[in-house]
Amino acid sequence: MHTVRSTPLRNLPSGRYLRGGTWLRAAAVTALTTLLLTPLPAHPAQAATTLANSGFEADGTGTATPAGWTTYSTTGHSAASYTESGGRSGGYRLTHWSSSAYKVETRQSLSGLGAGSYTLSAWVRSSGGQSSAYLALRDCGSAEQRTDLPATSDGAWIRLVTSVKVTGGGRCTVSINSDASAGNWLNVDDLAFTAGSTGLAVKGVDVSSLGKSEDLGGVYRTSGGATGDALTILKSAGANYGRLKVWVNPADGYNDKAHVLATARRIKAQGMKLLVDFHYSDIWADPGAQTKPAAWSGHSYTQLTTDVYQHTYDVLNALKAQGTTADMVQIGNETNTGMLWPEGSTDNWQQLAGLLKSGASAAKAVSPSTQVALHLAHGGDNALYRWWFDNATAQGVSYDVIALSFYGYWHGALSSLQANLDDISTRYGKKVLVAETAYPFRLDSEDAHENIIDTTSELVTGYPASTAGQSAWLRDVMNIVEAVPNARGLGVVYWEPTWTAVAGNGWDPADPGSGNGWENQALFDYDSKLLPAANRLSHR
């Protein structure tokens, strides 16, 4: 479990503290209130195509309106925006803060831009808790685009991006916005406005449990309460990828080849793409358990390589034959410690590599265009990923995508996820995909089984167990992936959004009486209605 450390006082906006007169913020705020600006009829365009004073270095501490920028407040709180020391790379940063509730915007307008797509990038920190805190590109001739700031309780800087299309008017306004309660703060620094666009190709949902849920009476409703097909509802919310796990011979018969084929037909009928997740097991495979299928239990390593090839080829070829070719395939699930223990343990990298190569070879034999992903958990652990993929590279394992699981209550801060994604995408020259994430919208259980996350102490700081907290979590993970440099961030898959509390559809496929510890992290509430977080899947 990740423990969030307290941020040192020197790294927080100094305006929130008064100690013995060492920092006379109260006097500074009083003086700055004389600089309040009246509303302007329009955003004045600067005769430049690049941002001025993008690192807020021109003015020093306490400047209410930095050079090149305009400060505006509808509530008379222009002084809530100011520069101060403590920049990410230079000496200064922009801060929004006030001892009373405030709304403030710091903006800069550009002109003379050629028509096309542009991207704003910025480094940010935030207390969280604001009604809204975001970067925006507006007045560009197309719909306003914005990216919300995450809560950064660890005090680390996070890079965000926002992309927009500029039309023939050639103008665009860069805007930093806060609608905040007393004491809420944000920091922004090192902005850049450049040609190019961003976005996410994968906005996925793992619906492995859906078929069994429906067979046992599970019902799914729109946010308005209308009963409907879960995949149709999720597609309408923005999902464009479906992920399905494959077990070899599971005790309950679900998640086998036949059921994967059936659900794949439904996914493709929605116009969605398909990600197939091979566990190479009869039950859950993860860093703590990589149990061979019973049918392969006595097989030698050489025979296991054949088993992997034949099983992978068989499932993927059957999918292709019915017109539902897999668009992406995972060779193993959360293989931090290898797969098919003990033969495929990371204690023997040569053998693990042989198994991975066998699965990847089968996938490409069926469909050369199918993307091969290798998948680890603990998405914030850069040392793990470097160790694992350095070994895979040394052994000549070929793949297209690095897939990660990232659950903030287990795997670290968002800043750790970003640092890892940035590093591994560059180090290995690969696309990266958060193949699993989720967050609770409440803590109590709907069934008798204890939820996996069920106490406030287990939550990520800044993200309550509420519909708003769940929505913010998915939003912020998607924003982190979108910001991966060189367009290498593929997207995000939400894990098991349809795994609601349905009797018989529990954790243990061998025990119909086992409960579900996940229903409070689904994207359907305890009345089976779609939750607001699902609409984050319509991200640009």
Side-chain angles (χ1 to χ4, degrees):
M1 183 62 64
H2 173 67
T3 301
V4 178
R5 63 178 176 83
S6 299
T7 306
L9 180 62
R10 63 182 179 274
N11 288 334
L12 295 176
S14 55
R16 295 189 294 146
Y17 298 90
L18 293 173
R19 295 192 298 190
T22 57
W23 184 257
L24 301 179
R25 174 62 64 205
V29 171
T30 299
L32 289 172
T33 56
T34 62
L35 300 176
L36 296 179
L37 301 177
T38 56
L40 299 173
H43 294 185
Q46 183 169 311
T49 58
T50 57
L51 284 173
N53 195 18
S54 59
F56 306 100
E57 298 298 310
D59 307 288
T61 295
T63 302
T65 304
W69 296 85
T70 300
T71 306
Y72 176 65
S73 174
T74 59
T75 58
H77 285 89
S78 289
S81 173
Y82 54 89
T83 57
E84 65 176 346
S85 61
R88 186 193 74 91
S89 60
Y92 300 95
R93 68 195 182 205
L94 178 74
T95 291
H96 286 182
W97 174 87
S98 178
S99 59
S100 59
Y102 64 96
K103 293 183 182 180
V104 71
E105 176 190 10
T106 308
R107 67 193 184 206
Q108 183 175 151
S109 294
L110 304 174
S111 65
L113 299 169
S117 296
Y118 291 84
T119 294
L120 172 71
S121 66
W123 288 87
V124 305
R125 302 191 302 186
S126 172
S127 63
Q130 298 96 332
S131 296
S132 61
Y134 59 93
L135 307 174
L137 294 173
R138 56 169 63 115
D139 303 331
C140 307
S142 60
E144 175 180 323
Q145 297 294 316
R146 63 172 62 178
T147 299
D148 296 276
L149 272 63
T152 51
S153 58
D154 62 345
W157 291 90
I158 284 178
R159 186 185 60 260
L160 297 180
V161 296
T162 305
S163 184
V164 74
K165 287 186 177 180
V166 174
T167 64
R171 297 174 181 267
C172 195
T173 295
V174 174
S175 178
I176 303 161
N177 297 263
S178 292
D179 180 356
S181 300
N184 292 155
W185 59 270
L186 65 76
N187 299 150
V188 178
D189 203 2
D190 297 335
L191 295 97
F193 184 81
T194 57
S197 62
T198 64
L200 296 176
V202 178
K203 293 165 279 190
V205 285
D206 188 314
V207 290
S208 298
S209 68
L210 176 59
K212 185 174 181 179
S213 173
E214 292 172 329
D215 287 349
L216 295 172
V219 174
Y220 299 90
R221 298 185 172 92
T222 66
S223 57
T227 301
D229 177 83
L231 281 170
T232 301
I233 294 169
L234 289 167
K235 171 65 184 303
S236 296
N240 66 2
Y241 244 93
R243 180 178 187 247
L244 298 174
K245 67 173 173 277
V246 186
W247 289 340
V248 176
N249 188 25
D252 62 358
Y254 288 90
N255 299 301
D256 63 354
K257 173 184 170 182
H259 285 86
V260 167
L261 289 171
T263 307
R265 289 193 293 270
R266 295 174 59 187
I267 289 170
K268 290 284 190 170
Q270 292 291 336
M272 300 165 66
K273 292 186 176 182
L274 175 64
L275 166 56
V276 179
D277 173 17
F278 284 94
H279 283 226
Y280 301 112
S281 181
D282 293 334
I283 197 168
W284 306 99
D286 56 45
Q290 295 284 339
T291 306
K292 288 197 292 286
W296 306 356
S297 61
H299 291 184
S300 66
Y301 165 71
T302 300
Q303 181 60 46
L304 287 172
T305 62
T306 301
D307 294 333
V308 167
Y309 188 96
Q310 291 178 340
H311 172 61
T312 306
Y313 188 96
D314 180 46
V315 173
L316 295 180
N317 195 49
L319 285 165
K320 180 181 178 180
Q322 69 172 13
T324 61
T325 300
D327 299 281
M328 190 183 302
V329 57
Q330 285 178 218
I331 306 303
N333 187 76
E334 296 189 336
T335 55
N336 302 35
T337 53
M339 65 187 202
L340 293 167
W341 289 347
E343 288 82 1
S345 164
T346 50
D347 290 338
N348 189 331
W349 258 102
Q350 184 176 7
Q351 290 192 173
L352 171 57
L355 295 170
L356 295 170
K357 290 176 184 178
S358 186
S361 177
K364 293 294 188 179
V366 173
S367 170
S369 64
T370 295
Q371 297 287 287
V372 170
L374 302 180
H375 175 217
L376 307 186
H378 301 94
D381 187 346
N382 183 240
L384 164 68
Y385 279 72
R386 280 188 167 216
W387 168 78
W388 201 97
F389 282 96
D390 279 357
N391 275 289
T393 300
Q395 293 292 331
V397 179
S398 179
Y399 61 97
D400 304 299
V401 175
I402 297 175
L404 310 86
S405 293
F406 184 75
Y407 300 97
Y409 38 74
W410 293 326
H411 297 158
L414 287 169
S415 57
S416 297
L417 172 64
Q418 180 165 81
N420 190 34
L421 291 174
D422 289 359
D423 178 68
I424 61 177
S425 63
T426 300
R427 185 178 180 88
Y428 305 107
K430 301 295 184 181
K431 300 276 190 177
V432 289
L433 170 72
V434 173
E436 293 186 23
T437 195
Y439 204 77
F441 62 91
R442 59 195 293 171
L443 292 174
D444 60 311
S445 296
E446 187 178 8
D447 61 12
H449 190 82
E450 180 181 6
N451 288 335
I452 290 175
I453 302 298
D454 64 350
T455 66
T456 56
S457 63
E458 295 173 307
L459 299 174
V460 179
T461 302
Y463 298 88
S466 65
T467 56
Q470 182 189 56
S471 183
W473 177 258
L474 180 55
R475 175 199 74 196
D476 293 343
V477 172
M478 294 176 80
N479 287 343
I480 292 291
V481 178
E482 185 182 19
V484 174
N486 301 311
R488 287 186 174 135
L490 271 180
V492 176
V493 178
Y494 196 93
W495 195 71
E496 288 286 12
T498 61
W499 198 5
T500 53
V502 175
N505 192 15
W507 276 100
D508 187 352
D511 179 9
S514 64
N516 174 8
W518 200 260
E519 75 270 17
N520 68 325
Q521 299 194 63
L523 290 181
F524 292 85
D525 68 15
Y526 289 3
D527 293 320
S528 302
K529 293 181 182 178
L530 188 72
L531 286 159
N535 294 314
R536 295 293 177 184
L537 297 170
S538 61
H539 185 89
R540 59 177 171 268

